[in-house]
Amino acid sequence: MVARIIPVDPFDLVIFGGTGDLARRKILPSLYRRLADGQMPDDARVIGAARSELDDSGYRAMVREALEEFVPEARRDPEAMARFLECVGYEQIDATGEAGWARLAARMGAGRVRAFYLSVGPGLFLPLAERLHDHGIATPESRIVVEKPFGHDLESARELNANLARHFDETQIYRIDHYLGKETVQNLMAVRFGNVLFEPLWNSQYVDHIQITVAETVGVGGRGEYYDRAGAMRDMMQNHLMQLLCLIAMEPPSRFGADSVRDEKLKVIRALDEVEPADIVRGQYEAGPDGPSYRDDVDDMRSRTESFIAMKLSISNWRWAGTPFYLRTGKRLRARASEIAVVFKDAPHSIFGADRGRHRNLLSIRLQPNEGIELGVTIKEPGPGGMRLVDVPLDMSFAEALGPEADEIPDAYERLIMDVIRGNQTLFMRGDEVEAAWAWTDPVIAAWEARGDVPAPYEQGSAGPEEAQILMHRDNRRWREIRA
Ligand code: BG6
């Protein structure tokens, strides 16, 4: 199987915050890899824009260092790196003043796709959008890319949307949720809508419950200040897990197009019921052999922010009424493992006798690492002893099924940036979707703040607080094990 690479049109991409962490870690290495693969044309231009006093050659040196640090050695090809650096330039600009803008305007090529990546804090979205507009740099076809956090609550998200809308049409705005760019997340849609096998069973008549787990081993590291204001709810649940929930629960869109897909996702968010306090577990990691406690990490011994959250959600529509969705995410857990598990109901009648135990089908989609799909089926245990039943996995690891190509799974940013250039918004969040997710999130947070809720401590390297296990046991269910 050889991947077919369709080169994108020539473009000028300006990265505001071009010297920042995201640019160095993700945006520039992703662009380099698209060039090395032949998808980014050699005459494309990538212009870093930031406050630092640098010229083109100084920025190229910084970009080279970033590639050496963040592109694995096996993927670094000196010839492709040289070609990539040729495409790179720099403008020193003042995001809130006038310095540098006329030079940037003069640099922009005619008849090419223009994209502006705002890899900066949300406070700079409006001043940058204004200057792009006032200096005639942004054309009606230009694209603007923004990152999370997209707001801190509904009000701030509305304000950001309104600010961007002053100068850009919704069709020009690309709000990144990098989970949507993950290859396996897209696979979720391929599995659901490319096979006839699953869709007839994809409803509360056959599905007992669905579990979504995004477990991380990292702590909050150097991001304590941001994280302590966000917590797992705002940092992960409101966006990444919500997007996964939408893809797993939405109705089949009529086609794989931006508005058809996003209309269906929006309906899921709007159909979410209010969450009862008893259906939420918040946790905070304690000190352990691998590192200090959460409170030490954020340098606030009284912090009540959660580094773990588990919730039971229900969706009020015909397809899902009666099927609970259990979502959990946390830091410093046992393994880095993200999985969606669709647990089917028991067979209506056991012809082998009631004492044969409970056997259930299960479809697990492993998002990362070890990407793959597992279908749990019940078979007869081999050998004598009558009809003894056992559950076994039909396991398909993408690495085994697809061979070397699976090693080449592109980073989410590679796909997403190329989609920006192609003008395809399907894997980006629409403004109303983001607002709907906040409208669901805000009252949940307000309620626990009003109650003075304190997160439950959990051990590093565990599966989160005991209370999260109880959330499931109470319903006679259990979480899947967290393992890499
Ligand atoms: C980010 C969060 O959006 O996603 C981080 O801010 C989190 O806290 C990260 O660690 C997880 O992304 P990935 O791709 O490593 O699963």
Side-chain angles (χ1 to χ4, degrees):
M1 242 180 307
V2 177
R4 204 159 52 93
I5 292 174
I6 306 168
V8 296
D9 291 337
F11 62 87
D12 285 354
L13 170 70
V14 183
I15 310 172
F16 293 99
T19 53
D21 187 56
L22 184 73
R24 297 176 63 255
R25 235 170 0 98
K26 291 286 183 189
I27 306 173
L28 292 159
S30 296
L31 284 162
Y32 158 73
R33 287 179 57 171
R34 291 297 87 219
L35 177 126
D37 268 1
Q39 192 167 27
M40 167 174 154
D42 283 357
D43 59 349
R45 287 185 311 185
V46 177
I47 303 156
R51 251 184 327 211
S52 315
E53 215 174 294
L54 279 176
D55 57 10
D56 285 350
S57 69
Y59 188 60
R60 283 187 190 129
M62 192 217 84
V63 174
R64 176 185 288 282
E65 267 174 32
L67 298 184
E68 278 162 3
E69 190 173 347
F70 296 110
V71 178
E73 201 174 346
R75 300 259 164 80
R76 273 184 256 139
D77 166 26
E79 183 270 332
M81 268 171 66
R83 274 194 291 131
F84 180 70
L85 291 172
E86 283 282 299
C87 301
V88 171
Y90 183 79
E91 278 305 337
Q92 183 184 357
I93 55 118
D94 179 359
T96 53
E98 291 313 310
W101 289 93
R103 280 196 318 270
L104 181 61
R107 245 186 202 242
M108 305 303 293
R112 309 155 65 81
V113 173
R114 285 187 186 181
F116 306 103
Y117 202 128
L118 309 193
S119 177
V120 293
L124 290 180
F125 289 1
L126 182 61
L128 287 172
E130 263 166 8
R131 280 161 185 76
L132 285 169
H133 177 260
D134 295 350
H135 289 269
I137 302 174
T139 59
E141 294 77 39
S142 294
R143 284 134 216 189
I144 191 148
V145 186
V146 292
E147 278 280 339
K148 76 178 263 274
F150 198 83
H152 183 74
D153 52 17
L154 178 59
E155 195 188 332
S156 51
R158 275 196 180 135
E159 194 183 322
L160 287 179
N161 276 337
N163 285 344
L164 290 177
R166 277 153 73 169
H167 300 293
F168 292 90
D169 186 70
E170 183 62 34
T171 55
Q172 296 178 276
I173 304 172
Y174 291 73
R175 294 177 195 79
I176 288 198
D177 180 313
H178 78 282
Y179 267 59
L180 291 178
K182 287 183 191 276
E183 195 76 11
T184 33
V185 173
Q186 295 165 55
N187 230 322
L188 205 65
M189 286 183 276
V191 168
R192 271 198 71 188
F193 305 125
N195 296 287
V196 73
L197 206 59
F198 302 116
E199 202 46 32
L201 306 179
W202 214 259
N203 54 54
S204 60
Q205 197 185 338
Y206 292 104
V207 177
D208 178 72
H209 72 281
I210 292 182
Q211 303 186 13
I212 303 180
T213 298
V214 177
E216 298 186 278
T217 50
V218 292
V220 295
R223 302 160 71 225
E225 206 186 312
Y226 150 76
Y227 193 91
D228 203 41
R229 275 183 288 115
M233 182 69 169
R234 289 189 171 96
D235 184 52
M236 298 290 288
M237 190 64 85
Q238 184 270 351
N239 38 79
H240 304 325
L241 279 90
M242 184 61 62
Q243 290 295 323
L244 297 178
L245 173 74
C246 286
L247 297 180
I248 205 87
M250 70 184 180
E251 294 302 313
S254 61
R255 55 187 205 92
F256 190 54
D259 278 331
S260 340
V261 171
R262 297 187 298 178
D263 286 348
E264 294 307 336
K265 288 198 293 169
L266 181 62
K267 287 184 206 158
V268 173
I269 305 176
R270 290 193 173 150
L272 281 172
D273 285 345
E274 257 178 53
V275 197
E276 297 293 326
D279 291 337
I280 306 175
V281 174
R282 296 164 68 237
Q284 233 182 32
Y285 56 82
E286 297 183 293
D290 288 337
S293 69
Y294 173 82
R295 290 179 172 192
D296 278 315
D297 270 347
V298 300
D299 203 15
D300 176 359
M301 296 321 281
R302 294 189 324 180
S303 169
R304 290 182 167 187
T305 304
E306 74 288 351
S307 58
F308 172 96
I309 188 163
M311 304 176 105
K312 176 183 175 184
L313 305 186
S314 43
I315 300 176
S316 275
N317 62 20
W318 272 53
R319 186 188 283 265
W320 293 120
T323 295
F325 288 72
Y326 299 90
L327 276 58
R328 64 179 167 167
T329 181
K331 300 216 179 271
R332 286 253 185 265
L333 297 178
R334 184 172 301 144
R336 177 170 187 260
S338 302
E339 182 202 55
I340 298 178
V342 180
V343 183
F344 291 92
K345 289 190 172 169
D346 295 353
H349 165 68
S350 170
I351 65 166
F352 308 109
D355 58 344
R356 295 293 162 184
R358 198 181 205 196
H359 296 279
R360 301 188 137 178
N361 296 120
L362 171 132
L363 176 72
S364 146
I365 301 166
R366 288 190 304 269
L367 303 176
Q368 62 187 24
N370 187 17
E371 292 85 351
I373 294 176
E374 179 184 315
L375 185 64
V377 291
T378 301
I379 59 164
K380 177 188 170 300
E381 221 180 285
M387 283 300 269
R388 285 173 297 118
L389 302 183
V390 61
D391 291 337
V392 290
L394 288 179
D395 198 350
M396 186 190 82
S397 140
F398 292 156
E400 282 164 28
L402 303 175
E405 256 188 61
D407 288 343
E408 302 285 322
I409 290 183
D411 185 84
Y413 279 86
E414 296 180 43
R415 165 76 199 246
L416 294 176
I417 298 172
M418 290 299 105
D419 275 357
V420 171
I421 306 300
R422 278 190 285 249
N424 183 349
Q425 289 184 303
T426 311
L427 299 177
F428 296 83
M429 292 178 300
R430 208 166 54 191
D432 51 2
E433 231 184 298
V434 176
E435 289 183 14
W438 280 120
W440 172 82
T441 307
D442 278 3
V444 177
I445 296 179
W448 79 49
E449 282 177 352
R451 286 196 308 273
D453 187 82
V454 180
Y458 64 93
E459 249 177 67
Q460 296 191 18
S462 70
E466 195 47 37
E467 287 80 346
Q469 304 302 323
I470 298 170
L471 180 75
M472 277 286 201
H473 293 170
R474 211 180 57 180
D475 294 346
N476 220 356
R477 299 184 172 107
R478 54 202 321 200
W479 290 106
R480 303 255 300 156
E481 209 183 309
I482 296 180
R483 60 191 152 97

